[in-house]
Every structure is written in structure tokens, then in C-alpha cells.
């Protein structure tokens, strides 16, 4: 890559992080991070092609490979759940993962709708 292109790529990455499109924690380590989580219970097709099932322990993440198992821990109460990544998202600033309703229920965040969580890749 030419020096001018390197500067342009670096500026674009900083702009993207600064605008909140990619949380800083994800730029540091794609295998772990902390931030906001929300849940969803649609029955439409996911980005992986399978139908979303709110009763399964699944989640959406912006960049982790489909099929990756991730442990998600609610920072408020310490409850954890292991989910499988099968969709893309979330697309809201500050959020790092979207959980199925079943996963959100296991970590006690259905009523609030959102929670502050940390996640760790278990296998990819």
C-alpha cells in the first residue's frame, strides 16, 4: 500500500470509530469487548440465511464469524449465557451485540430491553 493510501485508510478508521460506527473496544480486540446489548424477537431471516428463532440462544454481531460461540455477561447482575452468532448487527451506536429473547431472558435484561455487557469468544 502506498503511503498516501495508508494515511487515508488510517484516517477512515479513526473517523469510523470517532463517529461511533465501530466501537473502540471492537477495534482493539474482535474476540472480546464490552458495551451495550439489546434483544430482538423477530422471525425474519438472519444474515446467515437461517430463520430467527426467539427461543434459541443466538445473537447478532457486526464482524464475528457465523457459528462463533460467545459468552455474554450482564455487568449489572453477573449472569452469563453462551450464544451462537447467526446474524449481523447491532446498528445502534454504543451497542456491541443483539441477543435473542431467550438469551436476554437468561441474563435478566428482557424487561429493561438493554444492558451493559461484556462478551468473550469461546470458539470460532
Amino acid at each position: 500500500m502506498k503511503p498516501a493510501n495508508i494515511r487515508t485508510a488510517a484516517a477512515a478508521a479513526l473517523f469510523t470509530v470517532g463517529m461511533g460506527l465501530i466501537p473502540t473496544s471492537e477495534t482493539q480486540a474482535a474476540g472480546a469487548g464490552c458495551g451495550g446489548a439489546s434483544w430482538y424477537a423477530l422471525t425474519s431471516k438472519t444474515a446467515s440465511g437461517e430463520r430467527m428463532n426467539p427461543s434459541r440462544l443466538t445473537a447478532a454481531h457486526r464482524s464475528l464469524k457465523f457459528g462463533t460461540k460467545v459468552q455474554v455477561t450482564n455487568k449489572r447482575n453477573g449472569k452469563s449465557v453462551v450464544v451462537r452468532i447467526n446474524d449481523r448487527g447491532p446498528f445502534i451506536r454504543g451497542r456491541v451485540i443483539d441477543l435473542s429473547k431467550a438469551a436476554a431472558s437468561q441474563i435478566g435484561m428482557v424487561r429493561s430491553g438493554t444492558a451493559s455487557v461484556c462478551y468473550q469468544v469461546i470458539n470460532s
Side-chain angles (χ1 to χ4, degrees):
M1 196 181 274
K2 294 181 181 178
N5 291 344
I6 293 170
R7 283 193 299 271
T8 305
L14 288 172
F15 175 77
T16 305
V17 170
M19 292 301 294
L21 300 174
I22 299 174
T24 307
S25 61
E26 283 190 340
T27 61
Q28 293 170 355
C34 294
S38 54
W39 65 270
Y40 66 119
L42 305 174
T43 56
S44 57
K45 278 194 175 181
T46 64
S48 67
E50 66 185 88
R51 183 140 319 267
M52 166 56 168
N53 184 339
S55 63
R56 294 231 169 105
L57 299 177
T58 58
H61 188 274
R62 286 184 193 92
S63 60
L64 291 175
K65 231 170 56 171
F66 294 137
T68 300
K69 300 273 178 121
V70 178
Q71 181 176 16
V72 180
T73 303
N74 185 331
K75 289 171 67 174
R76 183 180 56 79
N77 61 21
K79 292 182 179 180
S80 293
V81 64
V82 175
V83 296
R84 179 178 53 86
I85 302 299
N86 73 336
D87 204 0
R88 291 291 173 233
F91 301 107
I92 306 248
R93 184 181 203 170
R95 294 196 190 155
V96 294
I97 198 162
D98 275 340
L99 302 173
S100 65
K101 186 175 183 180
S105 179
Q106 285 201 9
I107 64 170
M109 61 170 274
V110 170
R111 180 175 245 171
S112 63
T114 61
S116 182
V117 300
C118 288
Y119 70 91
Q120 176 70 46
V121 170
I122 294 175
N123 74 351
S124 53

